[in-house]
Structure formats: structure tokens, C-alpha cells
Amino acid sequence: MTTKYTPGALYLAGFTQARSPHIGLLFAKDATKGTLFHIRIDRQTSSHWQFQRRTQLITGDMFLSSLLRITKEPLALDIAENTIEKIALRIPPPENGDFGECAPWALELVQALYEEGIVELLDVDQLGEEVDSFAKESRAYARRDKFPNLATSNFCR
């Protein structure tokens, strides 16, 4: 099945980094941008993870390398962002500065979206393995002149 980038869909976004991919949840808004929900550490102001919601360019970002679609049908644009943010804010970021906490947090968000009936999740552990593998395999897409590698999850419907 061919995957196409679809406004209104939810994706687990993989960003290529030196050690392993950074993972966040992307709500696709239009053909050029989406809203990213993720946790990050700003070492200049903090030593632990913090939630962030921000606009994410889809094209022209040299770190965004993969988008794994986790919803079958697009979500309503007018309510999705605020609903996702409210759910994301219920999931506390880890109170440490350990590397690699972003994917478990993003998967916990997907689990919460499933519990709210927004995502049809079959297996969160297998989804975690799938997104990690897909993001690692997509390193070649980490270029400004390439669209991120697209796929549809086998563990969400």
C-alpha cells in the first residue's frame, strides 16, 4: 500500500540525530507544515525534559526524516490540535536528562490517544519497535531537498 502525506492525519515523526532518532507526534495541517507535540531538553535553561508544541515544516527540514502514519482517517482540523495538546499535557515529561526518553513519551501519548478513541492502536510495544526501526532506516531522507520517508503503521488502524 502506498502511503501519501495527508493533512489531518497523525504521524510519529522521526528526526535524525547522531545517536538515535528523536521521536514526536505530528498532526499534519497542510502540505507544508504540521504541529509537533514532543518533549525536548534545552540544556541552556534546564537539565530535564519539557513538553513542547510547535509548528513543524514538512519540507525543507534537514532533520525530519520519517513520518509513520498512525491514523486511518484524517482528524477534524478545528479540534484536533487542542484535544491532542490537552491529552499530551496529562503525560508528565521525565524528570531527568537521560538520552532516549522522547520515544517512550510519544508512545505514552499514542496510548492515551487510543484510550480517548482517537487512535486505533493494536500493540504499543510493537509500534515502538516499528517506529524506531523505520526512523533509523530513514537517515538518507534527512536532507532539505527530500520529503520525509512515509509509511503506515502495521500496529495502528
Side-chain angles (χ1 to χ4, degrees), residues 60-91:
D61 185 306
M62 67 181 291
F63 298 104
L64 177 60
S65 56
S66 65
L67 292 170
L68 183 66
R69 188 171 173 166
I70 62 169
T71 53
K72 183 176 181 179
E73 298 298 323
L75 305 176
L77 296 174
D78 55 342
I79 60 165
E81 281 185 282
N82 290 333
T83 300
I84 294 166
E85 183 171 21
K86 285 177 188 173
I87 295 168
L89 288 169
R90 295 191 316 228
I91 302 166

Side-chain angles (χ1 to χ4, degrees), residues 60-146:
D61 185 306
M62 67 181 291
F63 298 104
L64 177 60
S65 56
S66 65
L67 292 170
L68 183 66
R69 188 171 173 166
I70 62 169
T71 53
K72 183 176 181 179
E73 298 298 323
L75 305 176
L77 296 174
D78 55 342
I79 60 165
E81 281 185 282
N82 290 333
T83 300
I84 294 166
E85 183 171 21
K86 285 177 188 173
I87 295 168
L89 288 169
R90 295 191 316 228
I91 302 166
E95 293 186 11
N96 64 51
D98 298 346
F99 183 81
E101 296 281 3
C102 57
W105 183 90
L107 291 168
E108 193 172 341
L109 175 54
V110 173
Q111 178 72 42
L113 293 170
Y114 164 72
E115 291 166 5
E116 294 289 331
I118 296 169
V119 173
E120 292 184 43
L121 177 64
L122 301 176
D123 188 305
V124 73
D125 293 329
Q126 289 184 315
L127 176 61
E129 292 173 19
E130 180 184 41
V131 71
D132 182 62
S133 176
F134 181 61
K136 286 177 179 173
E137 293 167 5
S138 300
R139 288 183 73 88
Y141 290 82
R143 296 173 39 168
R144 290 189 199 282
D145 63 343
K146 285 199 173 195

